[in-house]
Amino acid sequence: MREDYVSGLCIPSASEDAIRCARSRWDAIAKPIGSLGALEDMVVQVAGLTGNAHVDLSRRCVVVLCADNGVVAEGVSQSGAEVTPIIARGVVHHTSSVGRMCAVAGVDCVAVDMGMFQPLDEPGLIDRRIAAGTGNIAQGPAMTREQVLAAVRTGVELVASLAQKGYQLIATGEMGIGNTTTATACACALLGLDPAHACGRGAGLSDEGLTHKVEVVRRALAANEPDATDPLDVLAKVGGLDIAGMCGMFLGGAVHRVPVVVDGLISSVAALVAKRLRPECGVAMLGSHLSAEPAARAVMRELGIEPILHARMRLGEGTGAVCMVPLLDMALGLYDQGLSFADFGIESYKGVGQ
């Protein structure tokens, strides 16, 4: 695949007219100016992205990218790679954690095989396999640069397909044992973090397991020497197929004017790579929660995203991103149907300094 694929993506600018109209709509509703805080900002952001102050997010889905990571051979997780296809099957049948939450939030589940070790013959699972898992980053690179570019392109194409089907909001999710290790290695490479301060317990490592995980990330960085100035190099050397695919989804959201919700650590690292590649794609990113993983705060700060939810979540699968959807629904309920100051017969509030 051509190296200039990412730079050639056409990302439209946000519509200033739609932003002004959306902000005016919020300010006309009978409530203190800006009193819904970040929820108002998100609605305005979506208006700017789509170019339409009439914000409709009624068709939404979470896309769970499933992929395996060779670093599981180092014992960095409580469970092995055999769990990945089990949960992938659960996502397809809506029996996994995110599936159950989606049923409550009115969100569709889309499961995609980006590169599990073994193909899963499961109706409903979208096959976008780039490779049979990645290499062990503690010993060498995760992927080739060509595989990274293929995964990024796949993410862009997934968003294009979902937008064509009418989806107006896409949440990002992942399933792949060992991916907090790959995501943390990427974060350390991109931000210069110390693995001792960046590594978390993932699915629940013991103190001894956490110490070992830190050492594995150190070995991965030393063995591969990822170039922080080249995000694709970082992905190829210490990333994962799920991270690369989600990176493409954030780029695709900006290209196709569809908001894409950032989930936890793995998703936020993918968003960071996307923004390093094309800074203007940040217009399509909506934050959700601050993961309990230690590196998450630094990644979110670098993204310039302030997560709304602080619930110490670290489940994955896109569960934190799905939690954002009912909050957006409630905000839009007021945005669409809230009565104005005139309706109540009271004088309009003024903004600060007016």
Side-chain angles (χ1 to χ4, degrees):
M1 183 177 295
R2 291 174 60 92
E3 279 281 329
D4 58 0
Y5 170 73
V6 173
S7 61
L9 292 171
C10 180
I11 298 179
S13 299
S15 167
E16 294 299 328
D17 286 343
I19 288 172
R20 280 192 295 271
C21 288
R23 185 61 71 190
S24 294
R25 170 59 187 158
W26 274 125
D27 291 350
I29 296 172
K31 61 172 184 56
I33 301 295
S35 55
L36 276 187
L39 290 175
E40 291 190 28
D41 294 339
M42 284 188 174
V43 172
V44 172
Q45 180 182 339
V46 173
L49 171 67
T50 61
N52 190 347
H54 174 66
V55 176
D56 184 358
L57 301 177
S58 55
R59 289 287 311 280
R60 57 279 188 105
C61 65
V62 59
V63 179
V64 183
L65 302 185
C66 306
D68 277 312
N69 303 282
V71 73
V72 296
E74 299 294 327
V76 292
S77 179
Q78 281 197 94
S79 53
E82 69 278 358
V83 172
T84 304
I86 294 172
I87 301 301
R89 184 177 285 110
V91 174
V92 171
H93 295 289
H94 301 169
T95 57
S96 71
S97 298
V98 76
R100 296 302 192 194
M101 294 171 73
C102 282
V104 176
V107 177
D108 293 338
C109 272
V110 178
V112 182
D113 179 3
M114 289 293 296
M116 292 187 287
F117 283 145
Q118 296 295 328
L120 180 62
D121 183 15
E122 190 69 38
L125 177 68
I126 298 174
D127 182 3
R128 294 292 184 271
R129 290 172 60 82
I130 306 298
T134 60
N136 182 349
I137 62 173
Q139 299 179 4
M143 299 167 276
T144 66
R145 197 173 178 94
E146 290 72 23
Q147 287 171 329
V148 170
L149 284 165
V152 170
R153 182 166 190 161
T154 296
V156 175
E157 292 172 347
L158 283 168
V159 171
S161 174
L162 291 166
Q164 190 172 28
K165 292 176 181 177
Y167 284 103
Q168 302 146 313
L169 179 72
I170 300 173
T172 52
E174 38 61 39
M175 180 58 224
I177 302 302
N179 60 8
T180 60
T181 300
T182 54
T184 302
C186 287
C188 288
L190 291 167
L191 300 178
L193 304 178
D194 182 342
H197 300 146
C199 286
R201 297 181 185 274
L205 289 174
S206 64
D207 289 348
E208 182 181 2
L210 179 58
T211 299
H212 174 63
K213 182 176 179 178
V214 170
E215 178 56 30
V216 169
V217 172
R218 289 195 193 283
R219 285 165 49 200
L221 295 171
N224 291 287
E225 297 183 331
D227 181 358
T229 66
D230 182 353
L232 294 177
D233 184 70
V234 173
L235 280 183
K237 288 179 175 175
V238 295
L241 289 162
D242 50 355
I243 301 174
M246 279 189 287
C247 169
M249 289 180 64
F250 290 114
L251 292 167
V255 170
H256 297 287
R257 296 178 178 264
V258 178
V260 180
V261 185
V262 181
D263 185 44
L265 175 65
I266 294 96
S267 174
S268 65
V269 166
L272 179 58
V273 173
K275 201 166 182 182
R276 289 280 178 91
L277 290 168
R278 294 292 300 271
E280 64 269 43
C281 76
V283 68
M285 298 176 187
L286 299 180
S288 61
H289 75 110
L290 181 64
S291 169
E293 286 291 304
R297 191 177 298 274
V299 174
M300 285 295 193
R301 187 184 306 117
E302 184 72 12
L303 280 170
I305 292 176
E306 183 178 354
I308 290 179
L309 301 170
H310 293 249
R312 303 190 304 278
M313 295 177 68
R314 52 182 175 82
L315 195 158
E317 297 181 36
T319 49
V322 169
C323 283
M324 269 298 302
V325 176
L327 292 175
L328 287 169
D329 284 345
M330 287 184 281
L332 286 171
L334 181 56
Y335 179 80
D336 290 334
Q337 302 174 29
L339 296 180
S340 69
F341 289 100
D343 291 326
F344 282 105
I346 59 178
E347 185 178 351
S348 298
Y349 287 166
K350 305 298 182 184
V352 176
Q354 290 184 297

